Amino acid sequence: MQGEDLVFKVKADLLKSLAHPSRLAILEYLKDRESSVGEMVSTLGIEQSSLSKHLSVLKQSGILRSRQEKVTVFYSVKDKDIFKVLRTISEILMKKFRESEAVLEHLVRTKSKST
């Protein structure tokens, strides 16, 4: 059971590294490009100190890689398969929202009939 617990912890840590709106925005921004911290600050509107923390979390989890050119650090997505995970999450959320929409439509129709 010890090995299985470790696998669950590693999976949970990866999911935790994704569990912030700014980190998801960073990933989406870096989807098809490499970018410097300065470019991301101005484009994403995230303060540099916060951005650096988020980039560090994503890099430590193995999602991003960095390279330095003189004094500028550039970041890019290390493994594009992370977008398969994000796509699956989007599909799950779409199903959830469709179900909620169907319930709301039913409630509206029921209310209309009773008035």
Side-chain angles (χ1 to χ4, degrees):
M1 190 69 170
Q2 193 69 277
E4 192 174 88
D5 288 345
L6 179 60
V7 170
F8 291 147
K9 177 162 181 12
V10 169
K11 287 179 180 180
D13 287 345
L14 177 65
L15 292 172
K16 279 187 221 175
S17 70
L18 296 172
H20 194 284
S22 293
R23 291 186 206 131
L24 294 174
I26 291 165
L27 281 174
E28 192 62 36
Y29 180 72
L30 293 174
K31 189 174 191 174
D32 297 313
R33 68 174 60 90
E34 176 183 70
S35 182
S36 69
V37 173
E39 291 169 347
M40 285 187 270
V41 166
S42 63
T43 304
L44 298 173
I46 301 171
E47 290 185 25
Q48 186 167 347
S49 60
S50 293
L51 180 65
S52 293
K53 289 176 189 171
H54 292 306
L55 290 169
S56 176
V57 168
L58 292 168
K59 187 176 176 194
Q60 286 177 353
S61 68
I63 295 170
L64 295 183
R65 69 175 150 241
S66 65
R67 70 174 183 86
Q68 191 161 350
E69 199 173 285
K70 296 184 181 174
V71 295
T72 305
V73 180
F74 292 91
Y75 287 88
S76 61
V77 177
K78 185 175 183 177
D79 186 352
K80 300 279 185 174
D81 283 345
I82 196 65
F83 295 106
K84 292 179 185 176
V85 173
L86 296 176
R87 192 175 318 112
T88 301
I89 291 169
S90 293
E91 290 167 2
I92 291 167
L93 290 173
M94 291 287 283
K95 280 188 219 174
K96 180 180 173 184
F97 292 140
R98 277 190 225 112
E99 290 168 2
S100 297
E101 185 178 46
V103 169
L104 288 172
E105 286 175 7
H106 175 74
L107 288 172
V108 168
R109 283 192 305 266
T110 305
K111 184 178 178 183
S112 300
K113 291 179 183 178
S114 66
T115 56

